[in-house]
Amino acid sequence: MEHITLLLGIVIVTALVFDFTNGFHDTANAMATTISTGALKPKTAVAMSAALNLVGAFLSVEVARTISGGIVNEQGLKTEVIFAALVGAILWNLVTWLLGLPSSSSHALFGGLIGAAVASAGFSTVNGGTVVTKIVIPALAAPLVAGLASFLATRLTYRITRGVDEETGRKGYRAGQIASAGLVSLAHGTNDAQKTMGIITLALVTGDVLKPGSNPPLWVILSAGCAIALGTYLGGWRIIRTMGTGLTDLAPPQGFASQTGAATVILASSHLGFSLSTTQACSGSVMGAGLGRKGGQVRWSTASRMAVAWVLTLPAAAVVGAGAEFLTRQGAWGVSLTAALLIAAGGYIWLLSRRKPVSHHDVGAKAPAAEPSGVVTQAVAAVTPPPAGVLSVPVQPTAAEAPDTLTATIDAPAPRADRPTERAGSGAA
């Protein structure tokens, strides 16, 4: 019994670590567009998002019930399986964070859980119908529905405010973006914080602490809400940069439309108990808003990398979860080794991230986009004629200068007193 108690404690702590990584991994969902358009400063945005994530964790338990009693069969499931599932989810979250890819923390958790359960008791332990209806279908529908909603909302927004004064519109959209970003953060708390509640509740059921079908206890709700709020406050700046400037360039009307569409989809799914990926919903909204503005563009190279990460999330986390389950079934030494490997891998990923650190200074409204302009755009900018009275002279940039420094200008020489004045119509020397 002592071993079970200790193992449950390890699982609960690991689940809260996953919840923490979920927080900083998914901060971009709510605040990337608000930061990129300048509606809020980065630190203010993540603080607001953290507080609302905590509040949202108390609003519903439908998604937690889906995870704790829907994806896998509780009967015969061992606590070690839950621990192995969390290992797979955490490692995938850290790898995609290092790469700056907004992948789904939810699908990482589901993949780890499915892989560990199958390795432990076979495919019969997985409820295929629940996986299809409440995971696979929402995963396919969320980015499409959210993208279409944001596309239409962007078109409607520009049409309604066509005659509005620019300064008035800017202030109005700033207020609208702050409100809609708060709504997304609240929705994120109602959806993603519950996933950790569900996994802890499932662990308590496997350890005979709770009866099958029980709701999460209050202390589970509170601890999960605090963990995701803390992770959100620290800010996943790498992913915020990708979501805010890497997918498309957003104006305030587009940011408002994007966040409103995403919040609507996430709140609706939470009410129905669909454990969808908030990342996919918000990413689809950003792309829809980018296409909704006349002349707007989406950086499809970034979008394609994100899509690849989405496709790989479930199977990759499942493979790691299955491998971790193989170790944990060996007994206490296997659990200890798995925990040590998780800590070592997490530390190594963090050290790699320090080689090219990204902070809140790199994600503001004036931060450079994740992808540079094309060659043609740079060439056109380089040959723009200088103002009258100056002479453009190509220079070789130094190492200390920005790489896009292509020309320098110097004043034209003044006429000399000992030289006759040029005839009218001749150019400056």
Side-chain angles (χ1 to χ4, degrees):
M1 189 65 183
E2 289 183 1
H3 173 68
I4 295 296
T5 302
L6 176 61
L7 183 58
L8 273 177
I10 294 174
V11 170
I12 291 170
V13 171
T14 308
L16 294 177
V17 171
F18 165 77
D19 206 23
F20 175 81
T21 66
N22 191 351
F24 74 71
H25 198 280
D26 290 1
T27 308
N29 296 342
M31 291 301 171
T33 56
T34 305
I35 293 171
S36 68
T37 59
L40 283 176
K41 294 182 178 180
K43 286 289 188 179
T44 304
V46 296
M48 171 183 165
S49 183
L52 291 172
N53 265 292
L54 179 59
V55 174
F58 289 87
L59 297 184
S60 171
V61 294
E62 290 301 317
V63 174
R65 289 175 62 86
T66 297
I67 293 175
S68 63
I71 296 177
V72 296
N73 296 320
E74 299 170 344
Q75 290 78 12
L77 194 66
K78 297 180 180 179
T79 309
E80 292 90 335
V81 174
I82 312 300
F83 177 60
L86 290 167
V87 170
I90 291 172
L91 286 178
W92 183 255
N93 270 358
L94 292 177
V95 168
T96 50
W97 164 76
L98 177 66
L99 299 175
L101 292 175
S103 69
S104 172
S105 298
S106 308
H107 290 176
L109 179 60
F110 301 150
L113 183 59
I114 292 171
V118 169
S120 174
F123 285 95
S124 61
T125 193
V126 178
N127 297 324
T130 302
V131 172
V132 172
T133 58
K134 294 202 171 184
I135 297 177
V136 176
I137 292 178
L140 298 174
L144 297 177
V145 173
L148 179 60
S150 296
F151 175 84
L152 296 176
T154 301
R155 287 294 179 91
L156 182 62
T157 298
Y158 274 109
R159 182 176 294 274
I160 292 175
T161 59
R162 187 162 39 192
V164 176
D165 174 72
E166 182 178 350
E167 181 63 20
T168 302
R170 185 185 66 80
K171 292 180 179 179
Y173 282 124
R174 180 178 184 274
Q177 273 199 278
I178 294 173
S180 59
L183 191 60
V184 174
S185 295
L186 197 67
H188 185 262
T190 64
N191 199 284
D192 278 42
Q194 289 187 56
K195 292 159 189 170
T196 300
M197 298 177 206
I199 209 73
I200 294 177
T201 303
L202 182 59
L204 294 174
V205 170
T206 62
D208 295 326
V209 177
L210 293 178
K211 294 181 179 180
S214 299
N215 285 333
L218 179 60
W219 68 267
V220 172
I221 298 175
L222 179 61
S223 59
C226 290
I228 199 170
L230 180 60
T232 301
Y233 178 71
L234 291 181
W237 304 117
R238 293 172 180 272
I239 300 176
I240 289 177
R241 182 176 62 179
T242 299
M243 286 277 282
T245 59
L247 273 175
T248 185
D249 297 319
L250 294 179
Q254 294 168 281
F256 170 71
S258 170
Q259 291 167 323
T260 303
T264 302
V265 172
I266 295 169
L267 286 173
S269 70
S270 296
H271 177 70
L272 296 172
F274 290 154
S275 187
L276 92 168
S277 165
T278 55
T279 299
Q280 292 180 357
C282 292
S283 299
S285 292
V286 170
M287 288 187 279
L291 295 174
R293 177 171 60 89
K294 185 177 181 180
Q297 295 180 345
V298 171
R299 296 182 178 92
W300 295 110
S301 59
T302 300
S304 63
R305 290 197 299 271
M306 289 170 49
V308 170
W310 293 351
V311 171
L312 292 178
T313 296
L314 267 172
V319 169
V320 177
E325 195 281 332
F326 174 78
L327 286 177
T328 57
R329 81 170 70 153
Q330 309 304 318
W333 72 267
V335 173
S336 301
L337 178 60
T338 304
L341 290 174
L342 175 62
I343 294 172
Y348 180 67
I349 292 172
W350 182 83
L351 289 175
L352 289 178
S353 72
R354 294 301 89 197
R355 294 181 179 180
K356 292 184 179 180
V358 178
S359 71
H360 63 280
H361 300 293
D362 305 311
V363 299
K366 296 182 179 180
E371 291 186 2
S373 302
V375 175
V376 175
T377 304
Q378 294 183 9
V380 171
V383 298
T384 301
V390 297
L391 179 65
S392 178
V393 181
V395 297
Q396 182 67 30
T398 65
E401 293 174 332
D404 57 349
T405 304
L406 299 176
T407 61
T409 56
I410 59 175
D411 293 335
R416 292 173 50 183
D418 58 343
R419 293 176 56 186
T421 303
E422 296 284 346
R423 292 194 307 270
S426 62

